Structures are given as C-alpha cells and as structure tokens.
C-alpha cells in the first residue's frame, strides 16, 4: 500500500457556523472534521445564520469564539452588505477576503442592487481576494463588471457547463479570475436527488450529467477544490424545505484521490488544487513541519457514522472510494492517526493572511 506524503491541505471555503448556529457545527467539531479529512488550514465563510460576519464587532466575536478551540488553523472571510463598505479598511488586514453573495443561499447576505454590487467591488482593496457566490446569470453579471471595477474576483463553487466555459473564456482574455469547484459537483448529479432527498439539496444545486462532464473536461480551468463544507442537522434536511448545504471536509480528499486512482487527474495536480493554489490565491501563511500521509490504494466505503462533523451525515454515504488519510502532522505534532484525532482543541490557531 503506497503511502505518500503531501503538504497539509487548505480548504478555502467552509462554514463552521460559530458563533450563531453552533447546533450545526462549531469551531471544535468543524476543525476536527477538517483535520480528519487532511486539511490543516481552512477559511471560514461569513454567512453564519444568527451572527453574520458583517461588522468589525461580529468579526471580533468570531475570533473570540475560535480562540483556544481550534485543532487546525482557521482564517476568516468578511461578508459584504450594501451598507458596510466603510468598515473594509479597518478589517481588511485581518481577513482572507471579502465574500459577496449574488444569489439566495443559507443566511441573508444576498446583495440585490447592481449599483451596490459595483460599489462593493470598487471599495474592497484590489489586491485582496473578492469571493463571489454567483450562479449562472449572476456569474455573467460579475464577469461583465470586471473591466469597469478594475479588479479580479474568485468564483466559488462553479457547477455548470456554461459557467466554466465563461471562466475559461475570461481567463483567455486576460481577466484576473480564479475559481473553485466542490467535490459534490464533481461526483454527484441531479440523478442522485431522488435517493438523497433533502440531503442532496445545496446551492448551487446538483446539476445535469453534461455539466459534471464539462467540469471534468475543463479541469485545467479549475484553480482549486473547495469543500463548501456546509453542515445542517438531519432535522433541517428532512423537512419540507431542506436547508441548503452538505458537509464535505471528511470526504473531499478521498473522493479526489479516487479520481487520481482512476486516472482523471494526477497527484501533482491534486496537490496544486488542494494546497498550492489556495495558499497562493488567499495568501495563507506557511505551516512549518506540517504534512499529511495518504494511502493511495486503500479502498473503503464512506459512512455517515464515525464522522467528526457535528451534523453526523454525508451525501456520499455508501460510496466506495480509493485513498485514505493515514496521518496528519501539524507543527511537528501527530494530529491524526488512522481516523483518530489526537490533538486537543486549541492546538492550532487563527491565521492572518500574508500581506
Ligand atoms: C452554504 C451554507 O449553508 O452556508 N450552503 C450551500 O448550499 N452551499 C452557503 C453557500 O455556500 O452558498
Ligand atoms: Zn455559496
Ligand atoms: Zn459555501
Ligand atoms: Zn484499483
């Protein structure tokens, strides 16, 4: 069984729900899930239901809540609203980027007015990442604004054929655009929805087979993999209106290693997409003496049992994968060994981006 050493993975898109919705996840459970999945650093999104990270005070509450409680390093994004641009200069050095929601999803951060959207793009420092939740037509709108606002954007969770084709075209024209794709959009389609029920509901939704095929065909355009780890309780997924989002921290690396096993990408490209590119694009500090070891040939079945995430389920339940995390070493300390998290909350810390 080939054991391969890789750098600690970086997930540029997680929702740890803390503070504000800690019945779904919190810094303790979410960062344990990250470690178990091979991630030694994660970047946390601002749409916390109950306490969105849209003011300096809310950002301070988030930092306070994470203090002494994380097992992998955590960085934060700030949320854009139509009214909070005056706070950007103050918080920009402390966050890894601004998040702008152009579509409805969990939380209430969708910005409606075109003028407000343009003004947010102008107000956020041009050298700092601006992450956009944009689906279908809103992605085209965001692209259309780039020449006027003189800055780049990072597109979150790209899921559709036309989206990845538009991003390819924008890159070929020299626009400063990067993008991420979530494993659920690479390994599931809308055909899985009847079996998954509420557990297959997320934003952007699962797409057609032709969209999934287009993501794989345009893999060279995809800068990075992001889990979009978005836990909700079973109750919240089983009602008439299931909450949007699925957990992904503990399944993303095994799924991507399975794609390596089947020849869909190389291990080098996996490392580029799950470590080097997020580090580069989001200015994530280097973690000394930090690495993971994976068994690239271990075949196992994903199960909702034994997960570290508080939500306790996965949309990939029952799927057979090839590739597993054997060990995680953080700053010289053995943090995970064969599925057992060995460090205590507080063994890692909050990160500030490199300047
Ligand atoms: C995310 C969440 O629940 O916070 N849900 C999702 O379906 N992806 C929000 C988001 O990333 O849009
Ligand atoms: Zn989103
Ligand atoms: Zn998300
Ligand atoms: Zn095999």
């Amino acid at each position: 069984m080939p054991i391969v050493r890789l750098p600690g993975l970086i997930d540029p898109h997680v929702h740890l729900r803390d503070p504000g919705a800690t019945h779904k996840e919190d810094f303790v459970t979410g960062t344990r899930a990250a470690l178990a999945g091979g991630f030694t650093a994660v970047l946390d999104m601002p749409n916390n239901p109950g306490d969105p990270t849209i003011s300096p005070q809310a950002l301070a509450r988030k930092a306070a809540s994470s203090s002494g409680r994380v097992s992998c390093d955590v960085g934060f994004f700030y949320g854009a609203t139509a009214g909070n641009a005056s706070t950007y200069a103050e918080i920009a050095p402390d966050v890894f980027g601004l998040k702008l929601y152009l579509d409805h999803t969990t939380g209430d951060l969708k910005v409606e007015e075109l003028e407000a959207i343009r003004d947010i793009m102008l107000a956020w420092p041009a050298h700092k990442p601006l992450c956009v939740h944009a689906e279908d037509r809103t992605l085209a709108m965001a692209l259309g604004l780039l020449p006027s606002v003189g800055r780049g954007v990072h597109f979150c969770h790209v899921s559709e054929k036309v989206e990845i084709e538009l991003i390819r075209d924008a890159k070929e024209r020299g626009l400063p655009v990067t993008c991420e794709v979530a494993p659920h959009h690479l390994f599931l389609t809308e055909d899985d929805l009847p079996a998954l029920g509420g557990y297959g509901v997320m934003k952007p939704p699962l797409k057609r087979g032709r969209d999934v095929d287009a993501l794989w065909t345009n893999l060279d355009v995809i800068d990075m993999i992001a889990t979009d780890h978005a836990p909700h309780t079973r109750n919240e997924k089983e009602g008439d209106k299931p909450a949007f989002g699925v957990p992904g921290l503990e399944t993303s690396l095994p799924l991507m290693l399975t794609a390596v096993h089947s020849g869909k990408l190389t291990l080098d490209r996996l490392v580029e997409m799950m470590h080097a590119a997020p580090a580069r694009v989001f200015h994530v500090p280097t973690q000394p003496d930090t690495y993971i070891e994976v068994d690239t040939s271990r075949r196992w079945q994903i199960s909702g049992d034994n997960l570290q995430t508080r939500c306790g389920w996965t949309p990939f339940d029952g799927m057979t994968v090839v590739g597993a995390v054997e060990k995680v070493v953080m700053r010289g300390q053995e943090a995970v060994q064969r599925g057992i998290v060995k460090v205590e909350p507080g063994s890692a810390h909050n990160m500030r981006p490199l300047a």
Side-chain angles (χ1 to χ4, degrees):
M1 48 161 182
I3 302 289
V4 183
R5 183 181 287 204
L6 307 177
L9 304 183
I10 301 172
D11 187 349
H13 186 152
V14 300
H15 302 268
L16 299 187
R17 313 298 197 198
D18 189 347
T22 52
H23 63 289
K24 301 175 194 278
E25 192 82 287
D26 66 16
F27 283 120
V28 172
T29 55
T31 59
R32 287 171 66 86
L35 270 190
F39 294 96
T40 55
V42 299
L43 302 182
D44 184 51
M45 287 293 166
N47 62 318
N48 295 26
D51 194 3
T53 316
I54 54 177
S55 67
Q57 295 74 21
L59 182 62
R61 283 194 293 278
K62 196 176 245 198
S65 187
S66 68
S67 170
R69 295 175 66 229
V70 297
S71 303
C72 75
D73 290 345
V74 178
F76 303 131
F77 287 107
Y78 195 66
T81 71
N84 72 355
S86 62
T87 60
Y88 294 169
E90 177 185 348
I91 56 81
D94 295 328
V95 299
F96 285 76
L98 184 71
K99 178 68 178 281
L100 171 59
Y101 290 87
L102 298 182
D103 297 284
H104 172 62
T105 184
T106 306
D108 198 18
L109 295 186
K110 179 179 173 188
V111 179
E112 295 280 351
E113 300 283 330
L114 179 60
E115 188 172 353
I117 293 163
R118 180 201 60 188
D119 291 349
I120 288 164
M121 289 183 163
L122 285 169
W124 186 243
H127 67 281
K128 299 270 307 179
L130 173 57
C131 298
V132 187
H133 175 130
E135 303 178 33
D136 196 77
R137 280 184 280 185
T138 57
L139 183 136
M141 173 186 60
L143 278 176
L145 285 170
L146 293 188
S148 321
V149 295
R151 63 160 308 123
V153 291
H154 173 78
F155 287 112
C156 295
H157 44 47
V158 172
S159 64
E160 215 170 58
K161 177 172 182 285
V162 66
E163 291 173 355
I164 197 69
E165 288 172 354
L166 287 173
I167 291 170
R168 172 182 285 285
D169 180 66
K171 286 184 171 190
E172 284 170 5
R173 290 164 194 270
L175 289 174
V177 168
T178 54
C179 71
E180 66 184 40
V181 169
H184 48 261
H185 291 128
L186 289 169
F187 290 87
L188 299 172
T189 71
E190 63 182 10
D191 297 339
D192 295 302
L193 265 175
L196 286 169
Y199 295 103
V201 171
M202 78 280 291
K203 291 283 271 168
L206 292 176
K207 296 284 158 65
R208 298 161 296 182
R210 67 194 284 268
D211 295 297
V212 175
D213 292 345
L215 294 179
W216 284 110
T217 319
N218 290 285
L219 203 62
D220 60 318
V221 185
I222 302 171
D223 295 276
M224 61 190 87
I225 298 294
T227 69
D228 191 12
H229 179 79
H232 298 280
T233 64
R234 286 184 178 277
N235 244 345
E236 291 164 337
K237 296 300 273 182
E238 285 174 6
D240 304 340
K241 286 199 172 147
F244 304 119
V246 295
L249 280 167
E250 292 165 87
T251 49
S252 290
L253 175 59
L255 288 165
M256 295 310 292
L257 285 172
T258 304
V260 172
H261 180 80
S262 55
K264 288 178 134 171
L265 79 162
T266 64
L267 199 53
D268 281 351
R269 180 76 174 121
L270 181 151
V271 171
E272 162 68 16
M273 291 198 292
M274 301 184 79
H275 167 80
R280 198 169 56 235
V281 170
F282 293 104
H283 314 128
V284 179
T286 307
Q287 301 175 295
D289 296 320
T290 298
Y291 60 87
I292 69 174
E293 287 179 1
V294 297
D295 180 342
T296 55
S297 66
R298 176 138 64 96
R299 186 178 291 270
W300 59 287
Q301 203 176 39
I302 293 177
S303 157
D305 309 329
N306 309 319
L307 293 172
Q308 301 290 337
T309 175
R310 174 160 292 151
C311 74
W313 56 270
T314 162
F316 302 105
D317 195 279
M319 199 179 273
T320 297
V321 287
V322 182
V325 179
E326 283 296 308
K327 189 192 274 193
V328 176
V329 173
M330 258 201 82
R331 295 193 184 84
Q333 192 183 9
E334 197 168 281
V336 176
Q337 175 72 277
R338 267 256 173 167
I340 312 287
V341 179
K342 303 178 88 175
V343 286
E344 293 300 318
S347 56
H349 52 64
N350 288 350
M351 301 181 290
R352 293 178 90 221
L354 301 168

